Amino acid sequence: IDTADVCEWAKYFPTGALYGVTTNPAILARDKVPCEIPYLRALAREAFDHGAQEVLMQAWGRSAEEMADVGLQLANIDARINVKLPITQQGAQAASLLKHKHVDITMTAVYSAHQALTAAAIGASYAAPYLGRMNDAGRDGFESIIRMQRIVETIETNMRIMVASIRNADDMAFLGSKGLDTFTFSPSVAAQ
């Protein structure tokens, strides 16, 4: 579930339908959680106490080295933390530095099939395309994401496509019918 709101976790984790929690600085700000390591450590502990098997937290910084440093601090919170990085040159460099330290990585803001292929080459656990944002930009987000999934199924990788920016539950069902099985979504979508 794509929220840092502990009340939402309490509502939806007991259903057994959730695997983990995804956050980023914007979600943290919306949910009034400071984007600082001590607060994120407490947030992760609470997520695991609610039943999360994995927590994805986004690193930040002005350079690859700064992002890698923050990513390592996040990863050191708990072995079940997966560090999110943007699929930019700096993000890829930070991911490479973190992979050498055996940190699990998610590459975010994936908008094209070649970016998913790059994420797989980096060794990411997940590539996260933003369905809603792709569609908002006038692209066929569904077709792009299905193409990403075909690539993942074709090459030798354990990486999964984790679809984000989902606006309704029917979109997950449609993508599920096309072989996708990993999604992050807001509490409003969970309520559907």
Side-chain angles (χ1 to χ4, degrees):
I1 193 161
D2 211 9
T3 185
D5 184 336
V6 177
C7 293
E8 297 291 353
W9 298 347
K11 187 187 308 182
Y12 292 109
F13 267 103
T15 68
L18 301 179
Y19 184 76
V21 170
T22 55
T23 67
N24 62 40
I27 290 169
L28 294 170
R30 179 196 69 207
D31 294 338
K32 297 176 179 48
V33 177
C35 191
E36 300 171 18
I37 299 297
Y39 292 97
L40 297 177
R41 183 177 295 112
L43 187 72
R45 193 171 22 251
E46 186 135 11
F48 294 131
D49 287 348
H50 274 84
Q53 299 300 304
E54 184 174 49
V55 175
L56 283 72
M57 294 183 163
Q58 187 161 329
W60 62 89
R62 295 182 182 170
S63 68
E65 293 76 17
E66 285 181 17
M67 282 191 276
D69 179 58
V70 171
L72 190 57
Q73 291 178 60
L74 292 170
N76 285 336
I77 291 172
D78 190 284
R80 297 168 288 179
I81 298 289
N82 184 297
V83 176
K84 294 169 57 178
L85 294 161
I87 189 95
T88 62
Q89 184 172 353
Q90 287 181 333
Q93 290 170 347
S96 179
L97 293 168
L98 290 170
K99 287 305 294 177
H100 282 86
K101 296 180 187 254
H102 309 288
V103 174
D104 291 328
I105 300 296
T106 295
M107 300 309 293
T108 66
V110 174
Y111 289 101
S112 63
H114 76 273
Q115 290 175 321
L117 189 59
T118 300
I122 290 168
S125 302
Y126 302 105
Y130 295 166
L131 175 63
R133 292 184 192 175
M134 293 166 83
N135 289 335
D136 290 348
R139 301 180 65 188
D140 184 344
F142 293 101
E143 183 54 40
S144 295
I145 291 169
I146 292 165
R147 186 169 176 220
M148 292 176 200
Q149 179 65 22
R150 287 187 193 127
I151 289 170
V152 168
E153 291 169 351
T154 304
I155 63 174
E156 291 184 32
T157 182
N158 292 325
M159 185 186 79
R160 297 170 79 144
I161 301 297
M162 179 171 47
V163 184
S165 185
I166 296 168
R167 306 271 168 80
N168 71 66
D170 286 339
D171 291 346
M172 287 190 293
F174 174 76
L175 289 169
S177 75
K178 302 298 181 182
L180 290 118
D181 63 2
T182 307
F183 305 93
T184 185
F185 46 87
S186 68
S188 64
V189 172
Q192 295 175 15

